[in-house]
Amino acid sequence: MSRDVLMQLAATIRARREAGADSSYTRQLLDAGPARCAKKLGEEAIETVIAGVSEGDEALKAEAADLIYHLMVLLECRGVSFDDVLAVLESRMGQSGLEEKASRGKS
């Protein structure tokens, strides 16, 4: 999977804002608002955790894909650009996780 696939997914989710709610699950989620999108993300996170500890690789891959999709729907619902999320990740490159966590506590 490359950044291009994720960017295509973000663009598809963004385009679904214009789709009919009767034909687009994504549009239904977006219309339901951030609380509903966050709830679905939480459900998918739990399913991913369960797959990670007690199911096979294929189940974990499928749940991880669902988790990424629902995260991206929540970002779109809130108007947060996926590029901005990638920029945060990029800014953390080359920094240890311990250093990064310590820096968050200071803000």
Side-chain angles (χ1 to χ4, degrees), residues 29-80:
L29 288 171
L30 293 170
D31 286 351
R36 176 72 177 130
C37 294
K39 182 179 183 220
K40 281 301 298 177
L41 177 62
E43 291 169 4
E44 295 301 334
I46 291 166
E47 291 173 9
T48 303
V49 169
I50 292 167
V53 298
S54 65
E55 297 179 15
D57 290 352
E58 293 306 311
L60 178 56
K61 290 176 199 177
E63 293 301 341
D66 290 347
L67 181 62
I68 291 168
Y69 162 77
H70 283 284
L71 171 60
M72 294 179 81
V73 170
L74 177 59
L75 293 171
E76 176 63 29
C77 187
R78 289 286 311 272
V80 175

